[in-house]
Amino acid sequence: MSARLLDGHVAVVTGASEGLGRAEALALADAGARLVINARSERIDDVADEIRRAGGDVVTVLGDVGDESTADRLVTRAVEAFGRLDILVNNAGIIRDRMVFNMSAEEWDDVLRVNLRSTFLTTRAATDHWRRRAKETGEPVYARIVNTSSEAYASGPPGAANYAASKAGVVALTMSTARGCGAFGVRANAICPRARTEMTSDVFGPGPEAGEDPLSAEHITPLVVYLASPAADPITGRVLVAYGDRIDVMSAPTAEVSLRSASRWSQDELHDVLGGHLAPVPPATDQVVAG
């Protein structure tokens, strides 16, 4: 496959001022994509300058992507600057860790706003644009969505109920988008990256003093470029855990066992059958929150 997998394509990347989002933006530009990059921090201009120095084509949209106006502006800016939109990479995210009994409503709302609401808003804006283009042309469009979830969606870390809930929502949103928008060309997938960034410094600690960091964000970017490329057309509605040299393909939740009652469940029967099957919940242990 060509190293310039994305020549002629236009991508939006949110949360691109640092960490994984920055690495994704640089990799997409290196693969030939023209970019609209977004962040709340003016450091986004430094990333844009880096892309331009490498010969890339990029514009910026400064603002909170949890605002409808910012999310809509990303699509509008892509069309104004480059005439099209092909790829949406949702990376904006925050953590506000606290045990659920100590968590404020504001801490819950802030994390859901940045991690999940923003992903919905950009997805809505992009899919509406693609659906209208498909109607105009009478055929499916080229459309890729790569959302950032986390293994926390499945593990439920004890001190991050807001983060885990937001990332579970991202998975559900991704799967629903893939099924609901596939007919007009959309391919939507979610990644769960383990990457050492400023946001995850308390989780993973410092990197190695020498040699390659197995949790470097650069280990994640080839997967993002691939999912954004024409080669990944058959792949949609999937959740992929990525770190180092490894990709784990997650399966959809499945029934562990099917338990049946002779008629209507009685309390005694529930205790004997269901209670007898389910082992006690193990005590909480430290769990990785990544992504």
Side-chain angles (χ1 to χ4, degrees):
M1 271 184 277
S2 168
R4 302 280 289 182
L5 291 174
L6 301 178
D7 272 337
H9 293 94
V10 177
V12 164
V13 183
T14 71
S17 63
E18 59 190 1
L20 184 59
R22 172 186 170 275
E24 290 168 340
L26 293 173
L28 290 164
D30 188 57
R34 293 169 291 173
L35 295 178
V36 180
I37 57 175
N38 155 264
R40 291 184 294 180
S41 166
E42 292 185 357
R43 284 182 289 182
I44 197 68
D45 293 330
D46 297 332
V47 180
D49 288 342
E50 190 173 356
I51 291 170
R52 292 186 186 110
R53 285 195 299 271
D57 204 352
V58 60
V59 296
T60 63
V61 172
L62 184 68
D64 180 358
V65 78
D67 289 336
E68 288 185 69
S69 60
T70 303
D72 292 343
R73 197 160 76 249
L74 290 171
V75 176
T76 301
R77 191 74 177 100
V79 175
E80 289 175 346
F82 304 119
R84 59 188 297 132
L85 172 65
D86 305 295
I87 300 156
L88 170 63
V89 179
N90 280 307
N91 181 71
I94 62 171
I95 54 176
R96 296 288 185 270
D97 286 356
R98 199 176 302 278
M99 296 299 289
V100 67
F101 44 80
N102 286 326
M103 187 175 293
S104 69
E106 290 74 19
E107 289 167 331
W108 174 272
D109 289 344
D110 286 349
V111 170
L112 270 290
R113 173 189 172 82
V114 176
N115 297 3
L116 181 55
R117 174 183 163 90
S118 72
T119 303
F120 156 69
L121 290 174
T122 56
T123 297
R124 183 181 66 179
T127 54
D128 177 62
H129 167 73
W130 288 324
R131 184 175 66 91
R132 286 187 285 105
R133 275 184 49 203
K135 283 187 173 182
E136 291 168 2
T137 62
E139 58 186 22
V141 298
Y142 185 101
R144 303 285 188 268
I145 299 175
V146 182
N147 289 330
T148 306
S149 184
S150 165
E151 292 167 272
Y153 91 90
S155 65
N162 48 4
Y163 186 81
S166 72
K167 294 304 186 179
V170 169
V171 168
L173 173 61
T174 303
M175 296 174 68
S176 180
T177 301
R179 294 187 174 114
C181 303
F184 54 89
V186 176
R187 305 292 181 262
N189 295 284
I191 63 169
C192 300
R194 292 187 200 172
R196 197 186 317 275
T197 66
E198 184 176 322
M199 192 179 83
T200 61
S201 59
D202 291 340
V203 177
F204 296 122
E209 294 182 3
E212 187 174 24
D213 184 356
L215 295 182
S216 166
E218 281 68 27
H219 284 291
I220 309 300
T221 58
L223 174 61
V224 174
V225 170
Y226 175 70
L227 291 175
S229 76
D233 189 70
I235 303 172
T236 192
R238 304 310 296 262
V239 180
L240 307 170
V241 176
Y243 54 99
D245 60 358
R246 178 170 173 171
I247 295 173
D248 295 336
V249 180
M250 305 297 285
S251 61
T254 58
E256 176 182 321
V257 66
S258 182
L259 305 173
R260 302 291 298 274
S261 169
S263 56
R264 182 181 299 177
W265 288 101
S266 68
Q267 291 300 310
D268 287 342
E269 192 178 17
L270 282 168
H271 178 70
D272 292 341
V273 177
L274 180 61
H277 173 76
L278 296 176
V281 177
T285 58
D286 291 339
Q287 300 182 56
V288 169
V289 178

